Amino acid sequence: MDASGYIENDSKAMVLLMGLRRCGKSSICKVVFHNMQPLDTLYLESTSSPSLEHFSTLIDLAVMELPGQLNYFEPSYDSERLFKSVGALVYVIDSQDEYMNAITNLAMIIDYAYKVNPNINIEVLIHKVDGLSEDFKVDAQRDIMQRTGEELLELGLDGVQVSFYLTSIFDHSIYEAFSRIVQKLIPEISYLENMLDNLIQHSKIEKAFLFDINSKIYVSTDSNPVDIQTYEVCAEFVDVTLDLFDLYKNRLGPGNNDEDGINKPIYQELKNVSELGNGVILYLRQMIRGLALVALSRPKNADVESCLTIADYNIDIFKKGLEDIWARSKIDNSQIKAIQNESVNR
Amino acid sequence: MSNLSSSNNRKKLLLMGRSGSGKSSMRSIIFSNYSAFDTRRLGATIDVEHSHLRFLGNMTLNLWDCGGQDVFMENYFTKQKDHIFQMVQVLIHVFDVESQEVMKDIEIFMRSLKQLKKYSPNSKIFVLLHKMDLVQLDKRNELFEIMMNKLTETAKQYGFPNIVGFATSIWDESLYKAWSQIVCSLIPNMSIYQSNLIKFKNLLDAYEIILFEKTTFLVICSSNNKTGGDNGDNDNQSNVKELGSIKIDPKRFEKISNIMKNYKQSCTKLKSGFKTLILNDSIYVSEISSNMVCFIVLNNSKQPRQLILENIKKAKEFFQ
C-alpha cells in the first residue's frame, strides 16, 4: 500500500515514526496511544504496512508508523510527498542492539528528509534503555550522538538540529519524550506556556500540566523545569480519576443529579481535588478536546479552601482562554484552506 | 466466632499450599504493596515466614507463610505439628489450578485438616484456587465447581463442613475480594460498623459508602452489601438489580481497592500519604479513623464540600 495515500488533510501535523525492524516502534505506538500494558507488547507482530494513529489535542496530530523493513527510496513510494507533509521525524534506535546500521540508516533518511523539507524536526529516541545500567545509558547516548554527528558531517549536513531522548516503555520516559516532540508541533505553544505561567503565579500552584487524557502526553506546561516525579504523580492522578469515574459513570454522568433541569451539555466536566498528608494538593480539571489541566499546589500555611476557590476561578478563566485559542486556530485553518483553494482555482 | 485466643485480638492465620502455588506472592501484594510484576522477584519461602500486621488498630494478624516444599511440609506434620497448628483462627490453603499433581495437593490439604481438627478445631478454612488467569475464560466456572465439590467433600470427612472457596489471580481484583472476606470474618463487631454505615449513608444522602482498611485497602464493609461472610457473584448480581436500573460494576469494590492502592503508591513519590480525594464533588474519599478510609458516593453533587467534610469528621467517633 502506498503510504502517501493516507495523507489527505494537510492541516494535520504529522509525526513519522521510523526505525529498523524490531526496534520497538509498534510497541511505542501501542503503549502511548492505546494504553497497552508494556509487557503485552512482547506479543506484537511485526508491522507490515504503514499504520496511522490519529490523535487530537489542541491540534490534530497523526502519528504514522512505517515498517522497518521497507525501503523508502524505491520509486514506488512517494517519499517526497510523505516527508514534505511531515512535522517531525521520530527515529527509534534500539540501544540494546548493534546500532551502527541504525545510525547509517538514520543519516540517510535525514539527508533525504532535510532536502525535501528543511523545516522538519528530527528526533531520535534511544530506546529500550530499561535494560541498561545507569552508566551505560549515558555512554550509549554519547556514543550515538557522536556517531550520528560524524555521519551527518560526512554528508555535509552539520547544521541539522537533531534531538536525542533516552526512552523506555516501562517507565514514563517515553511519554516525556513524546510530550516534547508534540509540543514542538503546536504553533500556539508559547501562548499556552504564558497562560500557564500566569495561572500558576496567581493561584499558588507549583506546577501545572496540560495533559492529553488518553495518552497522558502533556501538551504544555509552565516554564518551570519538569521534575519527572511530579510528572509521574500527575499522570497517575489522571489515571486514578478516569478509573474511578469509569466505575461510577452511570451515577456521575448527565441527567442523574440534575433534577432541576440545569443540565450541563453532553458530559459533565471531570474535576478531582485531592489533599495529601503533607499539604500538597493535586488538582485536575477537564478542559476542552480531551485535555485536562493537572496542577500541584502547596498552600503551606494559607487557607486551603480559599486557595481552591481562587484556583477554581482562575482555571475557569484559563479554560475560556483555551476555548478562544482553539476557536481562533480553527478560523486560521479554514482561512488557510480557503487561500489554498483559491490558488488552486486560479 | 469466638474462642479463647481471639479475646486478646491476636489472630493466627496459616497460609498453606504446595511449593510455587503463589502464597508469598499474594501475601506481598495484599500486605506489602507489591505490584503483580514485583512478585517475580520473590524466591522460595524457607520454612515459615512470620509477618505481624496491625489491622484495624487493635487487631494483629499473625500471618504464618508456610514454605511449601515437601521437606518443610513433612516437618510441619511431624516435628512441628503442635507449634504450627495450635491456636489457629484461619487456615488459608492455596491451590495452584495449573498443578500437575492435584492428588498430592489434596493429600497435603487433608493432612493439614487432620492436624487442625486436633489442635484448633474451631478454625475457619478458606481455600483459594489460585492462578485462575491461566485457565480459559469459559472453563473457569466449571473447574472451580469441580474442585470445590471435591474439597468440600474432603473437608467434611475431617469435620470442617463449612469451607469457603475463592477463585483468585494476582492479575485481577479477585485476590482482594477473597482476602477482604477472609479478614472480615475475623472482625468481631462487624454488625456495628454496618449499621453505623447505613445511618451515615442516609444522613449524607449518599448512594453508597464503602469502608476500606487504610494500609491494605481491603474492603471492610459497605452500605449496600455485607462483604463479610457472603460469597459468590450471585449476591452481587442481585444487588445490582435491587439498586435499580442503573448498572454498576459488581466488581467495583475490588477495583477501587486496586485504584486507590495505586494512588497511594504514587503519593509516596511526593513523600506523603493521601488525606482526601474529591471527584466531581460527588465521590469523596477520606480517612474516617486512624485505620479506615471511607469511600462515599453521593446522590447529589450539589451539597457543599465543607458540609460533607465536616460530616465525615463528625462521623469519625462512630468508626473507631
Side-chain angles (χ1 to χ4, degrees), chain A residues 39 229 232 236 241 243 248 250-252 257-258 269-278 282 305, chain B residues 37 208 246-247 252 259 263 266 269-270 272-273 275-280 282 299 302 305-306:
Chain A
L39 272 185
Q229 288 243 307
E232 279 174 25
E236 280 158 2
T241 308
D243 290 348
Y248 285 93
N250 294 324
R251 300 285 316 163
L252 305 180
N257 38 28
D258 291 289
E269 154 192 288
L270 275 175
K271 180 184 171 188
N272 194 355
V273 185
S274 178
E275 198 184 337
L276 306 189
N278 57 359
L282 289 169
E305 206 47 41
Chain B
F37 291 120
E208 77 176 344
I246 307 156
K247 236 185 98 194
R252 62 190 180 282
I259 296 167
Y263 181 51
S266 86
K269 288 179 191 153
L270 296 174
S272 175
K275 226 164 95 188
T276 58
L277 185 148
I278 303 165
L279 175 63
N280 277 13
S282 48
N299 277 322
K302 292 200 185 66
R305 185 164 53 204
Q306 287 291 291

Side-chain angles (χ1 to χ4, degrees), chain B residues 28-294:
Chain B
S28 309
I29 288 177
I30 299 282
F31 296 105
S32 315
N33 282 327
Y34 276 49
S35 78
F37 291 120
D38 294 339
T39 57
R40 284 187 302 186
R41 293 204 302 253
L42 292 170
T45 308
I46 306 298
D47 216 0
V48 182
E49 270 180 29
H50 303 266
S51 24
H52 303 278
L53 307 145
R54 282 182 75 74
F55 193 84
L56 287 184
N58 55 359
M59 198 163 92
T60 311
L61 302 182
N62 284 346
L63 194 62
W64 294 43
D65 181 3
C66 305
Q69 287 170 46
D70 292 340
V71 202
F72 304 133
M73 279 290 176
E74 212 47 56
N75 251 330
Y76 303 150
F77 296 128
T78 52
K79 279 183 219 148
Q80 302 176 318
K81 60 185 174 192
D82 44 353
H83 173 60
I84 298 262
F85 291 98
Q86 224 154 45
M87 315 238 278
V88 175
Q89 245 85 45
V90 173
L91 167 75
I92 302 156
H93 203 106
V94 185
F95 289 91
D96 178 356
V97 290
E98 285 281 273
S99 162
Q100 302 299 316
E101 305 167 297
V102 185
M103 285 328 287
K104 209 161 174 199
D105 296 348
I106 293 176
E107 189 203 315
I108 297 277
F109 181 55
M110 276 156 47
R111 291 175 72 182
S112 324
L113 290 180
K114 199 171 146 196
Q115 299 300 333
L116 267 189
K117 189 72 208 166
K118 191 167 157 201
Y119 290 99
S120 8
N122 286 324
S123 53
K124 295 180 187 185
I125 317 286
F126 292 91
V127 289
L128 304 183
L129 302 185
H130 198 47
K131 307 195 189 176
M132 240 343 159
D133 54 300
L134 297 175
V135 181
Q136 272 178 44
L137 208 59
D138 48 333
K139 292 200 179 136
R140 287 181 194 172
N141 263 334
E142 194 188 341
L143 184 86
F144 181 72
E145 291 299 322
I146 295 172
M147 269 306 268
M148 279 315 294
N149 281 341
K150 172 82 187 144
L151 293 176
T152 320
E153 210 175 285
T154 318
K156 251 186 208 148
Q157 290 169 11
Y158 289 89
F160 292 99
N162 301 313
I163 69 166
V164 182
F166 300 98
T168 58
S169 157
I170 58 170
W171 301 98
D172 60 28
E173 317 78 27
S174 54
L175 191 66
Y176 280 95
K177 190 185 166 110
W179 276 89
S180 286
Q181 297 193 13
I182 292 171
V183 171
C184 279
S185 72
L186 294 172
I187 301 173
N189 41 0
M190 184 59 104
S191 54
I192 302 173
Y193 286 134
Q194 181 86 29
S195 64
N196 278 345
L197 203 61
I198 289 171
K199 272 184 216 150
F200 190 37
K201 174 191 151 181
N202 294 334
L203 202 78
L204 284 177
D205 184 23
Y207 170 71
E208 77 176 344
I209 305 181
I210 310 164
L211 276 189
F212 292 96
E213 203 277 331
K214 196 177 154 197
T215 42
T216 56
F217 262 95
L218 293 174
V219 182
I220 295 168
C221 69
S222 94
S223 59
N224 286 331
N225 189 4
K226 296 198 298 289
T227 339
D230 65 22
N231 144 46
D233 283 340
N234 301 332
D235 291 296
N236 273 333
Q237 266 156 20
S238 61
N239 194 28
V240 168
K241 270 179 219 142
E242 270 169 39
L243 293 173
S245 54
I246 307 156
K247 236 185 98 194
I248 288 208
D249 196 336
K251 287 184 182 156
R252 62 190 180 282
F253 296 169
E254 294 80 40
K255 285 188 177 158
I256 293 168
S257 294
N258 245 339
I259 296 167
M260 290 313 295
K261 223 169 168 178
N262 284 340
Y263 181 51
K264 233 179 66 182
Q265 201 75 328
S266 86
C267 284
T268 55
K269 288 179 191 153
L270 296 174
K271 299 180 187 66
S272 175
F274 92 106
K275 226 164 95 188
T276 58
L277 185 148
I278 303 165
L279 175 63
N280 277 13
D281 285 330
S282 48
I283 291 182
Y284 285 71
V285 191
S286 169
E287 270 175 35
I288 197 159
S289 73
S290 52
N291 40 48
M292 271 190 268
V293 172
C294 63

